[in-house]
Amino acid sequence: MTTARLCPECDLPLLLQVAEKGQSAYCPRCNSRLYRGGASSFSAEFAIALACVILIVPVHLFPLITIRLFGVMIPATLTSGTLTLAPSFPAVALLILFCSSIAPLLVCGSVLTAQAGLKLRRFNLFKYSMWIIEHLKNWAMFDVFLVSLGISCFKVQDYADIFVGPGLYCLIILHILMVLLLSRISISRYWEAWQPETEHKCDELVLHCHSCHMTQGNNDHCVRCGCELHKRLPHSIQKTWAYLIAATVFIFPANLYPISIFLNNGKRAEDTIFSGVALLVKTNMTGIAILIFVASIVVPVAKILGLALILLTIQFKRSVNHLQRMKLYRFIQWIGKWSMMDLFVISLMVALIDRDQLLDFTPGPGAIAFGVVVVLTMLAAESLDSRLIWDNYEQRTQQPTTRTSEHKA
């Protein structure tokens, strides 16, 4: 049975059609994927999520790598760096722990609890599980952590011998399963399994629920999940500007103050992000220097400038380049988490190099400001309602349409 729906990204009315297995339906205006074809496979997602939860235990218990430094074997687990940082830099330690451990565990666990709530018909359990999956999936950063681990190994190879631990193999498998899980899971499909959208008839398409993604009439609260409804996210532009301005303020101390302090045989070396990149170039680590430069300098600045450009075009009601702005917004959402790379590297270096006055590595005050920039820019991207980009778009056709294209896994 076909039904009509508003595109969640641009609010275009669409008449949904059946998509075959291996295909996906896309919005013809903003090119966002609406749904995948084929039957639901909740059992496969349950199995993958359960495997992820099980693997999280050895990932945290067994060392990822072990180095031999001055004849001493020093293991590094997923959380050893955060535990070392916690007494002196609790906020930075909590951010690193959240992105590397807490968020992935909550996302995987929420898939299990969502299916339990679906089967047992426990509404609150199902609803909050869906909220966690949708809002925390971008904060699960195993991919960024693995790249950071590789950079840390390159940095310490001149001081120590490196041995791969069983935790690293578990982390790689866990990351692959997490990618597979997040590529399969669909919030809309879960809510359709809870209560099909076709059970609620409405004469006109007015509002799109941000929680369960159901299109409905002009109601105060969603008829399916009970959340408050809004034509656009309340104060979206103001919140995004506030996050961006705050991030702009903090980006200066993040780059001017030392982000790391290295002590070698009593000699103290304080490095900002720029000087750290320059040092990597001097030590013939140009590839790593480029990665750090892009992730720690280019990405935060590009996110701020990109979001500011989008906000200005919205407020000045620019009527061109809507699709290009939408692509820019999606790119900003995707690239945002890679700014965490420098903080992950710091936490790993702190865990590996700690020989008191002989050899020591500690974060500098710039690390705190940099962590604030990362959080604020990610929150800014999340707070922007992408439909504002399309509000002044001149629709060429008034009829609901669909487009179905092949889906490649």
Side-chain angles (χ1 to χ4, degrees), residues 237 288 294 374:
I237 293 178
I288 296 177
V294 171
V374 173

Side-chain angles (χ1 to χ4, degrees), residues 170-231:
C170 295
L171 180 59
I172 293 173
I173 297 173
L174 176 58
H175 171 56
I176 295 172
L177 291 176
M178 278 285 294
V179 172
L180 181 62
L181 178 65
L182 294 178
S183 66
R184 293 175 59 94
I185 198 166
S186 169
I187 302 298
S188 299
R189 179 171 285 182
Y190 271 80
W191 276 106
E192 280 294 296
W194 175 267
Q195 188 177 67
E197 199 168 325
T198 52
E199 290 187 6
H200 300 279
K201 303 293 184 180
C202 63
D203 296 330
E204 56 179 349
L205 303 176
V206 179
L207 298 175
H208 176 86
C209 177
H210 286 86
S211 178
C212 70
H213 301 287
M214 176 178 169
T215 299
Q216 53 203 279
N218 194 11
N219 306 310
D220 293 330
H221 292 81
C222 178
V223 296
R224 181 162 67 180
C225 70
C227 290
E228 190 174 357
L229 294 177
H230 303 280
K231 183 68 176 177

